[in-house]
Amino acid sequence: MRSPRLARDDGFVLPAAMMMLLILLVLSVTALQLSLNSVDTSNRDRRVVRALQAADAGVDVAIFRLNHMLVAGASSAVLGAVPNAVQSLGCTSVNALGVTISQVSPSAPQVYCPTEDGSAGGVEGGTYSYRVSTALNVTGSLGNLLIRSILATGVANGAQRRVLVKVRAVIGGAGNLVLYQRIHHTECTAQPTNSAPDSGCPGADLTS
């Protein structure tokens, strides 16, 4: 027969064990939640990086086409006879026949050309779209400068990012042509902040 003292202690371990199990359960759920959050953050970061890479791919394509347009003035077999003002200040567009140049009056205000888009081949699931501004003609210490903005949007697996890149070319005498080169790069907000295409982009003013 058990003593009265042992009878009173009977089952005292059960509440402690249940409390310990409850603590372990809470810790396990917390660790699982932190792990899932970490995976979600990592996946989101990868998508954002790919979207930025896709946007940069669009900028590279735009610069290539702009430089092709500059060089085309000396190669009439490529695009035909192109007036110098058009080849340096106008808009480019791409179609099944190749790259064409739109007439833009040199006195017209600087505006963004129509959107061009494509697939960012080096970025998994990435696409880009870009708009190039008509050129701003500035005379400075380097000579006759052509400055443009390239506004590119990259999309990859649901993530979207925009970048604004300024490029500059120096137009001189024969043999002194310098192709468009990057002079400014900034990341914009994912979406425009107002009706202007380059809203949400620091340094969008071409003259700054």
Side-chain angles (χ1 to χ4, degrees):
M1 180 176 179
R2 292 183 297 176
S3 67
R5 182 176 181 279
L6 290 177
R8 287 194 301 271
D9 292 340
D10 190 25
F12 80 96
V13 176
L14 184 59
M18 293 182 65
M19 182 62 69
M20 184 64 68
L21 287 175
L22 180 60
I23 292 173
L24 290 175
L25 178 61
V26 171
L27 291 176
S28 298
V29 170
T30 302
L32 178 61
Q33 186 64 47
L34 290 174
S35 177
L36 292 175
N37 288 341
S38 177
V39 170
D40 288 343
T41 300
S42 178
N43 288 336
R44 178 183 177 279
D45 289 344
R46 277 196 294 270
R47 292 194 299 270
V48 168
V49 168
R50 288 174 180 168
L52 284 171
Q53 290 173 339
D56 284 334
V59 172
D60 290 339
V61 170
I63 293 175
F64 172 81
R65 290 171 177 170
L66 285 172
N67 286 334
H68 179 78
M69 180 179 67
L70 283 177
V71 174
S75 180
S76 59
V78 178
L79 294 177
V82 182
N84 289 336
V86 176
Q87 76 178 31
S88 59
L89 300 175
C91 292
T92 62
S93 61
V94 181
N95 53 41
L97 300 178
V99 180
T100 59
I101 300 175
S102 303
Q103 175 73 47
V104 175
S105 169
S107 62
Q110 183 268 328
V111 296
Y112 278 93
C113 302
T115 300
E116 303 284 352
D117 51 40
S119 175
V123 181
E124 181 182 354
T127 60
Y128 66 79
S129 61
Y130 71 82
R131 299 184 69 178
V132 179
S133 71
T134 53
L136 183 67
N137 199 338
V138 179
T139 300
S141 58
L142 294 178
N144 191 29
L145 304 179
L146 299 179
I147 301 176
R148 293 180 184 260
S149 286
I150 301 172
L151 180 62
T153 301
V155 178
N157 300 318
Q160 175 172 306
R161 286 297 182 271
R162 297 190 307 145
V163 297
L164 179 75
V165 174
K166 292 181 185 179
V167 293
R168 177 185 65 198
V170 180
I171 306 299
N176 294 328
L177 171 65
V178 177
L179 300 180
Y180 279 104
Q181 299 174 347
R182 297 177 185 233
I183 58 173
H184 177 78
H185 180 286
T186 186
E187 185 176 347
C188 310
T189 57
Q191 298 288 344
T193 55
N194 58 48
S195 59
D198 54 12
S199 59
C201 298
D205 182 4
L206 280 177
T207 60
S208 63

